[in-house]
Amino acid sequence: MRHVIVVDLGYGDAGKGTVVDWLCARGTEPVHTVVRFNGGAQAAHNVVAPDGRHHTFAQFGSGTFTPGVRTHLSRFMLVDPLALAGEAEHLRALGVGDALDRLTVDELALLTTPYHRAANREREVARGAARHGSCGMGIGETVAYSLSHEDAPRVGDCLSPARLRHALTALHDWYRDEFPQGAPVPAVDACVDAFTTFAERVRVVGGDHLSRLLRTRPVVFEGAQGVLLDEWHGFHPYTTWSTTTFENAETLLGEAGLGRDAAYRLGVLRTYATRHGPGPFVTEDPALTADLPDRHNGTGLWQGTFRVGHLDAVALRYALEVTGPVDGLALTHLDVARARDDLRLCVAYEDLKRIPATVKGDLAGQAALTERLLKARPVYTRLGDPVAAVEDALRTPVVLRSYGPGADAKRRTPAPPARIPRRR
């Protein structure tokens, strides 16, 4: 038994959801549970079933279309009960009526509430043209509030109405003090009722539940967003308030008494680069943005424009440097590359061959790096065969090839080519 950790090496939107769906539906061994280990309801992992059903997975694991596959929201998740209820309803309309029955939630996971969401939007609007980019779902506010308030609401509080009411009242009052002219928000009583109903409907568990599971059943760890948006290694301030590397998943494995070799580290990337909203994007190409619309990604009120560019080996090598080597790569959107001959590969930046990694926690250093990248210019070569180009550029085997959104459009490489040395 070996677990799999799925991490996006770029700015997100590379196809983690469709890869997790394939692992659960057609992987080498049955998957018991998909474990979410970072982010929250802002995730948007699109899965298209063989019969055409489409769902954007946010909090439920992207393997939920496969009967019997469970979801566990670890303590590193930010849980939004209201958004979860809406997601469950959409899954029910698609014929998946037992998604909540297959869900467990760690009692220590932070709660994202309407107060966090409202604060997020008020703060982003106040930035005006200097917006950082946001999903408007309250993710950053959830984390920031918890860092300065010991009584920040957590999932376990939903089991105690009195404790929950105390935490939500303090949060509500904080929002009103912070934004006296802010948008209206629900009353505390309404939130208490909704959140206690959530706790009655799902199974809230302690950390020992996941530890036992990891020692006995195979799981897929499903990451959110991408390494280039990581809270410490991304290009500040255009980052997320979440650890997007393998770190959280490996922490959970360690707590179960398992070593790093207990999991296969799978990195996901597209045959071309994308990102949402403002921030560095050295290989951005407006022509590709116009020619390569993504039916499941577009311009959002809070996220901003969905931007498209050429594959960036410099940024991807940086991602591997800060997150550590991966065992294999899943390369998606190969159908797009196969239909075009104008895609390129960035092999260096003018006056900068590599992106230097800074010390974790050095946000000033990351901000300085951001300024350099905003001015950087790409040096290109023809992409050619995208699989060969990626393997040569990253010295890592492509073990899964994706030619479309469904599991039936995936092709597994049985073993890494001999000419590509495995990264360790």
Side-chain angles (χ1 to χ4, degrees):
M1 179 186 74
R2 197 177 186 195
H3 308 302
V4 180
I5 311 174
V6 178
V7 166
D8 189 314
L9 298 179
Y11 293 105
D13 299 299
K16 295 180 295 298
T18 188
V19 169
V20 170
D21 172 60
W22 180 87
L23 288 168
C24 293
R26 302 192 179 186
T28 56
E29 63 178 317
V31 172
H32 183 271
T33 299
V34 174
V35 178
R36 300 296 306 275
F37 63 92
N38 73 304
Q42 92 284 26
H45 298 175
N46 291 285
V47 172
V48 179
D51 57 10
R53 289 175 299 162
H54 165 250
H55 180 73
T56 302
F57 287 93
Q59 295 179 87
F60 287 102
S62 294
T64 304
F65 275 149
T66 299
V69 174
R70 303 181 62 84
T71 295
H72 178 71
L73 305 183
S74 75
R75 75 171 190 274
F76 293 117
M77 276 288 287
L78 311 176
V79 178
D80 186 332
L82 301 182
L84 188 71
E87 188 177 352
E89 184 58 36
H90 186 256
L91 284 167
R92 186 177 298 108
L94 295 177
V96 184
D98 64 345
L100 287 171
D101 299 321
R102 292 189 262 153
L103 177 69
T104 51
V105 188
D106 193 293
E107 63 186 355
L108 295 182
L110 288 166
L111 284 173
T112 295
T113 71
Y115 312 129
H116 295 113
R117 186 179 302 195
N120 174 187
R121 298 179 178 188
E122 293 289 344
R123 211 178 300 280
E124 190 72 356
V125 168
R127 292 191 177 106
R131 288 188 182 188
H132 293 171
S134 169
C135 292
M137 299 291 289
I139 301 304
E141 294 294 336
T142 302
V143 178
Y145 183 85
S146 73
L147 294 176
S148 56
H149 296 79
E150 293 183 354
D151 60 349
R154 296 180 182 271
V155 167
D157 295 332
C158 298
L159 298 171
S160 170
R163 190 168 71 236
L164 178 64
R165 186 181 305 279
H166 172 80
L168 290 179
T169 298
L171 177 57
H172 173 275
D173 293 347
W174 166 86
Y175 170 74
R176 280 298 171 211
D177 289 343
E178 191 83 2
F179 305 98
Q181 304 301 318
V185 290
V188 170
D189 285 347
C191 287
V192 170
D193 289 344
F195 287 9
T196 53
T197 299
F198 152 77
E200 293 168 355
R201 181 64 182 83
V202 305
R203 185 181 171 199
V204 178
V205 298
D208 57 338
H209 167 83
L210 180 58
S211 292
R212 288 195 303 270
L213 177 63
L214 292 175
R215 290 192 296 266
T216 58
R217 301 291 184 88
V219 312
V220 172
F221 288 93
E222 180 177 1
Q225 301 160 295
V227 173
L228 300 182
L229 295 175
D230 183 76
E231 59 183 334
W232 300 118
H233 300 295
F235 308 131
H236 186 71
Y238 309 103
T239 57
T240 183
W241 287 69
S242 178
T243 296
T244 60
T245 64
F246 296 92
E247 182 178 332
N248 287 350
E250 292 182 339
T251 295
L252 295 170
L253 286 167
E255 290 171 354
L258 301 175
R260 183 166 175 169
D261 289 341
Y264 186 94
R265 293 158 59 98
L266 182 64
V268 184
L269 66 155
R270 289 194 189 213
T271 56
Y272 55 96
T274 66
R275 80 165 294 167
H276 266 292
F281 190 5
V282 177
T283 61
E284 182 175 13
D285 186 336
L288 291 184
T289 299
D291 292 345
L292 288 176
D294 190 315
R295 63 180 297 189
H296 297 141
N297 283 288
T299 299
L301 176 62
W302 302 103
Q303 289 178 294
T305 304
F306 187 66
R307 303 154 66 189
V308 180
H310 297 279
L311 199 61
D312 188 342
V314 181
L316 291 169
R317 283 194 288 262
Y318 169 81
L320 290 177
E321 182 176 352
V322 300
T323 200
V326 300
D327 295 300
L329 300 170
L331 185 58
T332 68
H333 295 76
L334 279 160
D335 51 325
V336 174
R338 187 163 55 182
R340 306 180 66 99
D341 61 4
D342 60 341
L343 297 180
R344 294 177 286 177
L345 174 68
C346 173
V347 294
Y349 302 156
E350 293 179 5
D351 303 320
L352 186 65
K353 291 186 177 181
R354 63 180 289 271
I355 301 175
T358 59
V359 177
K360 180 180 177 179
D362 180 11
L363 294 183
Q366 289 301 110
L369 180 58
T370 296
E371 292 303 313
R372 293 183 68 184
L373 294 178
L374 288 170
K375 301 172 184 176
R377 296 294 178 265
V379 176
Y380 287 120
T381 187
R382 182 174 174 274
L383 178 62
D385 176 1
V387 173
V390 165
E391 289 183 333
D392 288 342
L394 304 184
R395 311 308 299 167
T396 306
V398 173
V399 298
L400 182 63
R401 309 178 187 197
S402 178
Y403 295 88
D408 56 349
K410 307 289 185 289
R411 303 290 182 270
R412 182 168 63 93
T413 303
R419 63 186 178 85
I420 302 293
R422 299 292 295 276
R423 295 178 62 99
R424 290 294 183 193

Coordinates of all heavy atoms in Angstrom, one line a residue, residues 22 77 97 159 190 221 269 314 380-381 402 414:
W22 N -9.2 10.3 -11.8 CA -8.6 9.2 -12.4 C -8.0 8.2 -11.4 O -8.2 7.0 -11.6 CB -7.6 9.6 -13.5 CG -6.9 8.4 -14.2 CD1 -7.4 7.8 -15.3 CD2 -5.8 7.7 -13.8 NE1 -6.6 6.8 -15.7 CE2 -5.6 6.7 -14.8 CE3 -4.8 7.8 -12.8 CZ2 -4.5 5.8 -14.7 CZ3 -3.8 6.9 -12.7 CH2 -3.6 5.9 -13.7
M77 N -7.5 22.1 6.7 CA -8.5 22.6 5.8 C -9.2 23.8 6.5 O -9.3 23.8 7.8 CB -9.5 21.6 5.4 CG -9.1 20.7 4.3 SD -9.2 21.6 2.7 CE -11.0 21.7 2.5
G97 N -26.0 11.1 -4.0 CA -26.8 11.6 -2.9 C -26.2 11.3 -1.6 O -26.7 11.7 -0.5
L159 N -20.2 21.3 17.8 CA -20.8 20.3 18.6 C -21.3 20.8 20.0 O -21.9 20.2 20.7 CB -19.8 19.1 18.9 CG -19.3 18.4 17.7 CD1 -18.2 17.4 18.0 CD2 -20.5 17.6 17.0
A190 N -28.5 32.8 13.4 CA -28.7 32.1 12.1 C -27.5 31.2 11.8 O -27.6 30.1 11.4 CB -29.0 33.1 11.0
F221 N -4.0 12.2 -1.3 CA -4.0 13.5 -0.7 C -4.2 14.5 -1.9 O -3.4 14.5 -2.8 CB -2.7 13.8 0.0 CG -2.4 13.1 1.3 CD1 -1.8 11.9 1.3 CD2 -2.9 13.6 2.5 CE1 -1.6 11.2 2.5 CE2 -2.6 13.0 3.7 CZ -2.0 11.8 3.7
L269 N 1.0 19.5 -13.9 CA 1.2 20.8 -14.7 C 0.5 20.6 -16.0 O 0.2 19.5 -16.5 CB 2.7 21.0 -14.9 CG 3.5 20.1 -15.8 CD1 4.7 20.7 -16.4 CD2 3.9 18.9 -15.0
V314 N 11.5 27.6 -16.0 CA 12.3 28.3 -15.0 C 11.4 28.3 -13.7 O 11.9 27.9 -12.6 CB 12.6 29.7 -15.4 CG1 13.4 30.4 -14.3 CG2 13.4 29.7 -16.7
Y380 N 12.8 31.9 -25.1 CA 12.0 30.7 -25.6 C 12.7 29.8 -26.5 O 13.7 30.2 -27.2 CB 10.7 31.2 -26.3 CG 9.7 31.8 -25.5 CD1 9.3 33.1 -25.7 CD2 9.0 31.1 -24.5 CE1 8.2 33.7 -24.9 CE2 8.0 31.6 -23.7 CZ 7.6 32.9 -23.9 OH 6.6 33.5 -23.2
T381 N 12.3 28.5 -26.5 CA 12.6 27.6 -27.6 C 11.2 26.9 -28.0 O 10.2 27.1 -27.3 CB 13.6 26.5 -27.1 OG1 13.9 25.7 -28.2 CG2 12.9 25.6 -26.0
S402 N -2.7 13.3 -19.9 CA -4.1 13.6 -19.9 C -4.4 14.4 -21.2 O -3.9 15.4 -21.5 CB -4.5 14.5 -18.7 OG -5.9 14.8 -18.8
P414 N 3.7 3.1 -17.7 CA 4.0 2.1 -16.7 C 5.2 2.3 -15.9 O 5.2 2.0 -14.7 CB 4.1 0.8 -17.5 CG 3.4 1.1 -18.8 CD 3.6 2.6 -19.1

